[in-house]
Amino acid sequence: EVQLVESGGGLVQPGGSLRLSCAAAGFTFGNYWMSWVRQAPGKGLEWVANIKQDGSEKYYVDSVKGRFTISRDNAANSLNLQMNSLRAEDTAVYSCARVPYKKYGSGFDYWGQGTLVTVSS
Amino acid sequence: QSALTQPASVSGSPGQSITISCTGTNSDVGNYNLVSWYQQHPGKAPKVIIYEVNKRPSGVSNRFSGSKSGNTASLTISGLQAEDEADYHCSSYAGSSSFVIFGGGTKLTVL
């Protein structure tokens, strides 16, 4: 059974940093593109970042470029998101999601339940 | 890249059919057959119910169907059941730099 479990969320002040992690299980993690997707309170979903199987390609939504860094550790089956210079508008539930095998662009086939990040003074 | 446009809410009675629209542009929905639909119950992770416009993952009821015409994709749920009450999100591939964009989500109420 595919499992994605996020951790690391919490309350942080504007300008602060936070590192999110996603533990993957039940599939060969290193075979898949992985993404982070967020959902602000009362808002729709927003793709944040994704990373290729070997970490050689990374892409970000414009609003987080230069502030967020996605990374992965295939040996540990772990996906990470380092978030710096956090802003109030980054407040959201952050979920990791798996891109379907060999179907880049075809959405996401599994999601974690997410971890809440609140940016507030 | 702007979000896709979905109605904020739809409703229907048990046994009825409803359709949720998802409107984009010729840079996303209209340019790729890569529209997905997700069902999300409160406090739960989204679950894919339609991918590549009209394909259903294994285990998803055939009461769910998808289609696309031009820049608008649609999700139809037939034979509405109480358990279908949830939020529904559409998404589309939007090219390598934007990757995937989502709609604002539609809350389905089963009366």
Side-chain angles (χ1 to χ4, degrees):
Chain A
E1 178 193 7
V2 172
Q3 288 191 324
L4 298 169
V5 180
E6 301 89 345
S7 61
L11 175 63
V12 61
Q13 292 189 336
S17 299
L18 214 54
R19 182 177 177 85
L20 306 183
S21 293
C22 171
F27 64 102
T28 305
F29 181 71
N31 285 354
Y32 292 82
W33 280 83
M34 296 295 297
S35 292
W36 285 98
V37 179
R38 67 185 177 184
Q39 186 171 24
K43 303 288 188 180
L45 299 165
E46 180 183 40
W47 166 74
V48 174
N50 61 6
I51 185 168
K52 195 176 180 180
Q53 290 91 332
D54 61 0
S56 62
E57 294 181 37
K58 303 175 185 181
Y59 300 96
Y60 301 91
V61 67
D62 284 348
S63 60
V64 308
K65 283 179 182 175
R67 301 188 299 123
F68 289 12
T69 302
I70 189 172
S71 64
R72 65 191 297 160
D73 182 344
N74 289 343
N77 293 333
S78 175
L79 177 72
N80 304 297
L81 186 68
Q82 177 66 42
M83 303 186 296
N84 299 330
S85 303
L86 282 161
R87 308 167 180 167
E89 55 264 35
D90 295 318
T91 294
V93 173
Y94 286 73
S95 299
C96 62
R98 191 179 82 169
V99 176
Y101 185 65
K102 293 188 176 179
K103 288 181 176 289
Y104 186 85
S106 187
F108 309 99
D109 58 357
Y110 286 95
W111 301 63
Q113 286 208 267
T115 185
L116 176 62
V117 173
T118 303
V119 184
S120 175
S121 54
Chain B
Q1 201 86 14
S2 299
L4 307 176
T5 300
Q6 296 181 235
S9 63
V10 298
S11 63
S13 299
Q16 286 186 331
S17 295
I18 63 96
T19 296
I20 300 172
S21 61
C22 171
T23 301
T25 69
N26 54 18
S27 295
D28 38 69
V29 175
N31 197 36
Y32 305 98
N33 288 324
L34 291 172
V35 175
S36 297
W37 290 90
Y38 305 90
Q39 177 191 62
Q40 185 179 27
H41 288 105
K44 300 293 187 180
K47 171 190 171 185
V48 60
I49 55 174
I50 295 289
Y51 67 99
E52 294 175 6
V53 176
N54 55 15
K55 298 177 181 177
R56 268 180 290 107
S58 173
V60 172
S61 171
N62 59 9
R63 297 186 299 105
F64 295 92
S65 62
S67 63
K68 190 186 88 167
S69 177
N71 295 336
T72 298
S74 298
L75 171 71
T76 297
I77 308 174
S78 59
L80 270 179
Q81 299 179 1
E83 68 211 45
D84 299 332
E85 187 162 291
D87 291 331
Y88 291 85
H89 307 272
C90 66
S91 75
S92 173
Y93 183 62
S96 58
S97 58
S98 301
F99 191 50
V100 166
I101 57 172
F102 291 91
T106 297
K107 181 175 180 58
L108 169 62
T109 300
V110 180
L111 302 170

